Amino acid sequence: SIIPGFEWAFDVLLEEGYRYDSSRFPIRRPGYGSPGTPRVPYWMHRNLGRLLEIPMATNSVMGVVLPAAGGGYLRQLPFALLEGGFRKATEDGVPAMFYVHPWETDPGQPRLPVPWVTRVRHYRGLRKTLPRIKELLAAYPFSSVERRFQEWVFQAEGAET
């Protein structure tokens, strides 16, 4: 997550040749997220060029933007909240970006002696990860970022040359 005040990191991504990114998470959370940024894909204009920002999926519940994207959220939040974010995005014709860390698919991983908050955040819900991913994959069409945005990225590169 690239948070407000650390936008220089987008310039590094552009310097390294990245054309798209999903580092802005439009949620409000201390030390994490970029509240108020668009919840749909958009072009981010920087001095070094432009970067297609594809934010993580969210769901709005009673006016509060909540994560519906993956990782710990996929494992620990009520599935209906996550699925609702995917359903709304599909209805609106907006891609719902989500992520998963490889370790989150292994409920048998070794347990490290860490403080209880870290233990809960890291290990809770590991058995739910794969079944939830399978349920989302069965319910919604998925593609790679490259395939979904190939036309946008191609148009951007053509416009910059």
Side-chain angles (χ1 to χ4, degrees):
S1 181
I2 297 176
I3 61 173
F6 291 85
E7 290 86 355
W8 57 264
F10 295 117
D11 297 325
V12 174
L13 292 174
L14 284 164
E15 285 174 356
E16 295 300 321
Y18 284 83
R19 298 177 294 165
Y20 52 85
D21 171 68
S22 291
S23 295
R24 279 207 164 148
F25 204 170
I27 62 169
R28 182 174 306 283
R29 182 177 157 199
Y32 184 85
S34 297
T37 57
R39 295 172 53 203
V40 298
Y42 62 96
W43 286 108
M44 182 185 315
H45 296 274
R46 306 288 303 166
N47 288 336
L48 297 175
R50 58 188 192 170
L51 193 64
L52 179 60
E53 183 63 23
I54 310 164
M56 292 292 135
T58 58
N59 194 355
S60 181
V61 177
M62 296 180 0
V64 177
V65 178
L66 299 171
Y73 306 114
L74 177 69
R75 294 184 288 111
Q76 300 182 44
L77 293 179
F79 188 72
L81 174 71
L82 305 172
E83 196 277 331
F86 279 79
R87 184 177 354 95
K88 177 77 168 110
T90 300
E91 290 168 359
D92 293 347
V94 175
M97 173 66 81
F98 87 105
Y99 66 97
V100 64
H101 304 103
W103 60 264
E104 291 177 300
T105 64
D106 182 8
Q109 65 185 268
R111 301 296 201 250
L112 300 174
V114 293
W116 73 270
V117 172
T118 302
R119 192 169 48 249
V120 168
R121 194 177 318 160
H122 188 85
Y123 299 117
R124 187 174 71 186
L126 288 173
R127 294 190 195 293
K128 296 178 183 178
T129 304
L130 286 177
R132 286 181 167 195
I133 290 172
K134 289 177 182 176
E135 193 168 342
L136 289 172
L137 288 171
Y140 299 97
F142 279 84
S143 180
S144 69
V145 172
E146 184 176 20
R147 278 191 204 133
R148 174 62 175 86
F149 292 101
Q150 185 174 12
E151 184 178 322
W152 284 21
V153 172
F154 176 76
Q155 287 174 351
E157 289 173 348
E160 292 174 8
T161 56

